[in-house]
Amino acid sequence: MNKHVIISPEGEKWLDQGQMWMYRNNLVEIEEPAKTGDIVDVVTVENRYLGTGFLNKESHVTVRLYSKDREETFDKAFFKKRIQFAYDFRKTVESKNLSNCRLIFGEADDLPGLTVDRYNDILVTQITSYGLEERKDLIYSSLLEVMKEDGEEITAIYERNDVKAREKEGLSLYKGFYIGQCETETIINENGLLLKVDIENGQKTGYFLDQKSNRVLLREMAHGKNVLDCFTHTGGFALNAAMGNAKSVTAVDVSQVALDEALKNAKLNHLEDKITFVQDDVFDYLDTIKEGQFDIIVLDPPAFTKSRRTVNKAYNGYKRINKVAMEALRHGGYLISCTCSRFMEREMYEKMLREAAKEAGVVLKQVSVTQQNHDHPILWTMEETSYLKFYIFQVL
């Protein structure tokens, strides 16, 4: 029989709304003996059952919930069923990019603390839950079975368990092959573009899969335009602009290493002559461009904030680059502005955009507002699954 973790009335409200995390500040009592990694039932002070999950006494997230059935057995059949459901979802919404997509997106797939990305025949995994770390053999074997049964051959699983979030769970940091051995670089095909992915050293699990559909939006509007791609990293937006027959493309990033990779990607697609790569701090570079020099400016910076404590500082950074970009665009030009920080909430980001437009003396005509790609689904009961905001405006 599972031990009980008693939650406060305040925490009870959150779980009733569909939240899958029980925070330490909502903890009333842990029935002993119970240790980190154990399966526990979360109950109210009045002993009303709310859900079952894995306990972590060291983490701010004391319990991650995985089921509303207190009789649930977290065996291989359980994990395979969850993985199969998530995979079927991708086959429906991401059928054209199934060989390079996020197969498991944690809470949004009812598997809190688990990320699985696919790059051709390699699965790259990331676990940020103590309970899942102890059961990863079941999870990985289930993953391989689901893929094999669909005729998909996977030759390796590579673990990118080198994220700091693991330290908060009391887990060690490491990366390497779990099964199989192969080159740690592979070339994916994203909507017709060839892109090199470094699963060992690349950002996240090797590449930013969450902007796939948004990059195509730029490709479709770039024809004949002078495009500036800020924070280009390995060239995702710049390459799509060039593929869309832009008149010119300038790609800026502070990292020469990232630009070197971007150039390799350009050569893979025979687009190197269409893109000018510039190594510079984007804030400094924006101050040097001439008014009307570009028809489209893309602002896709790394997260300026990864906590609520630094949101105000991030707000000012976003406002500065957006204001300068608005001022620099020609009349009728287009601004693509986005943030990947979940703490920079939509209302706040839109407030920033309105302020930047007012100070720049321009009017924003909305073209589209999107979020992360379909393989990063958003669970409306878990705001943590919603993080990317992506805006396209005509600037007047």
Side-chain angles (χ1 to χ4, degrees):
M1 187 173 178
N2 299 334
K3 297 298 182 183
H4 285 181
V5 173
I6 302 174
I7 193 172
S8 70
E10 181 64 29
E12 177 185 353
K13 294 176 185 176
W14 284 105
L15 295 198
D16 278 338
Q17 292 173 17
Q19 172 65 253
M20 301 168 77
W21 295 354
M22 178 193 155
Y23 293 103
R24 183 187 298 159
N25 57 334
N26 296 135
L27 174 64
V28 174
E29 182 183 348
I30 299 175
E31 182 184 3
E32 300 294 353
K35 65 181 186 300
T36 292
D38 282 356
I39 299 170
V40 294
D41 293 335
V42 176
V43 298
T44 67
V45 175
E46 292 80 19
N47 201 34
R48 180 169 73 91
Y49 171 75
L50 296 175
T52 300
F54 296 129
L55 174 68
N56 192 328
K57 292 183 173 181
E58 296 184 36
S59 174
H60 181 58
V61 183
T62 303
V63 182
R64 295 175 190 265
L65 295 180
Y66 291 82
S67 177
K68 294 288 187 179
D69 179 2
R70 70 193 318 162
E71 303 302 320
E72 190 79 76
T73 301
F74 297 114
D75 55 9
K76 185 173 180 179
F78 168 83
F79 289 112
K80 186 174 180 181
K81 182 179 179 181
R82 291 282 169 95
I83 291 166
Q84 183 69 62
F85 195 79
Y87 182 60
D88 289 343
F89 175 83
R90 271 71 184 180
K91 287 179 68 177
T92 300
V93 304
E94 193 70 357
S95 58
K96 293 181 180 179
N97 279 304
L98 199 58
S99 64
N100 55 291
C101 74
R102 176 151 295 185
L103 294 179
I104 306 291
F105 185 43
E107 288 73 11
D109 289 305
D110 281 336
L111 288 166
L114 176 64
T115 298
V116 181
D117 288 341
R118 180 186 180 186
Y119 303 109
N120 299 323
D121 59 345
I122 305 169
L123 298 183
V124 183
T125 64
Q126 200 166 80
I127 292 177
T128 55
S129 160
Y130 195 101
L132 291 190
E133 178 80 6
E134 290 190 323
R135 295 160 178 84
K136 70 178 184 179
D137 292 347
L138 295 179
I139 294 168
Y140 293 164
S141 62
S142 298
L143 268 168
L144 293 172
E145 283 185 16
V146 167
M147 301 300 289
K148 184 177 181 180
E149 288 168 7
D150 195 49
E152 299 288 336
E153 183 181 357
I154 301 299
T155 59
I157 293 179
Y158 190 88
E159 296 183 286
R160 279 297 298 267
N161 287 333
D162 55 344
V163 287
K164 289 187 177 181
R166 284 175 59 87
E167 293 179 336
K168 298 176 182 178
E169 288 282 300
L171 295 169
S172 61
L173 305 189
Y174 64 91
K175 58 183 177 180
F177 285 102
Y178 173 79
I179 62 161
Q181 288 288 335
C182 62
E183 295 293 326
T184 55
E185 292 185 355
T186 187
I187 295 174
I188 64 172
N189 185 317
E190 179 187 290
N191 299 312
L193 272 173
L194 299 178
L195 300 163
K196 185 166 74 82
V197 174
D198 182 349
I199 64 170
E200 181 180 13
N201 301 306
Q203 294 289 326
K204 292 193 173 183
T205 61
Y207 183 63
F208 293 101
L209 291 167
D210 52 7
Q211 290 274 33
K212 269 185 293 188
S213 51
N214 292 329
R215 286 189 278 260
V216 173
L217 295 178
L218 171 62
R219 185 193 303 183
E220 292 172 347
M221 60 190 290
H223 182 80
K225 306 289 196 305
N226 295 309
V227 180
L228 172 63
D229 178 20
C230 299
F231 309 98
T232 192
H233 191 51
T234 56
F237 280 101
L239 289 162
N240 274 275
M243 194 173 186
N245 292 313
K247 183 178 180 181
S248 71
V249 181
T250 303
V252 183
D253 202 281
V254 72
S255 168
Q256 187 59 53
V257 173
L259 290 174
D260 291 342
E261 294 303 310
L263 177 58
K264 291 177 184 177
N265 282 331
K267 290 178 177 179
L268 275 176
N269 295 278
H270 309 291
L271 296 172
E272 64 271 25
D273 295 335
K274 295 185 177 183
I275 306 174
T276 300
F277 294 100
V278 178
Q279 192 274 319
D280 201 355
D281 182 282
V282 168
F283 286 89
D284 294 337
Y285 183 83
L286 285 172
D287 289 334
T288 68
I289 63 178
K290 299 175 182 177
E291 184 177 345
Q293 184 176 346
F294 294 102
D295 303 299
I296 300 176
I297 296 180
V298 181
L299 300 176
D300 180 28
F304 285 173
T305 177
K306 294 186 177 181
S307 73
R308 297 195 188 279
R309 294 190 304 272
T310 56
V311 162
N312 290 335
K313 182 178 179 181
Y315 185 97
N316 293 329
Y318 285 120
K319 182 177 174 181
R320 179 185 165 192
I321 60 172
N322 278 275
K323 175 177 177 288
V324 173
M326 291 173 192
E327 291 171 336
L329 279 165
R330 67 164 178 80
H331 174 70
Y334 296 86
L335 173 67
I336 294 178
S337 177
C338 50
T339 173
C340 59
S341 172
R342 76 173 181 87
F343 297 104
M344 180 56 64
E345 295 174 351
R346 178 178 295 278
E347 295 78 9
M348 182 177 287
Y349 199 73
E350 292 184 358
K351 178 175 180 287
M352 175 279 297
L353 287 168
R354 293 179 192 278
E355 288 182 3
K358 183 178 180 180
E359 292 181 18
V362 301
V363 174
L364 300 179
K365 181 192 290 186
Q366 180 180 306
V367 177
S368 68
V369 178
T370 56
Q371 291 190 259
Q372 59 248 34
N373 197 65
H374 310 128
D375 53 358
H376 294 62
I378 296 168
L379 202 62
W380 276 35
T381 52
M382 279 288 294
E383 64 179 26
E384 290 80 3
T385 62
S386 176
Y387 66 97
L388 183 65
K389 299 93 183 171
F390 186 91
Y391 296 81
I392 302 179
F393 299 103
Q394 187 179 40
V395 178
L396 308 173

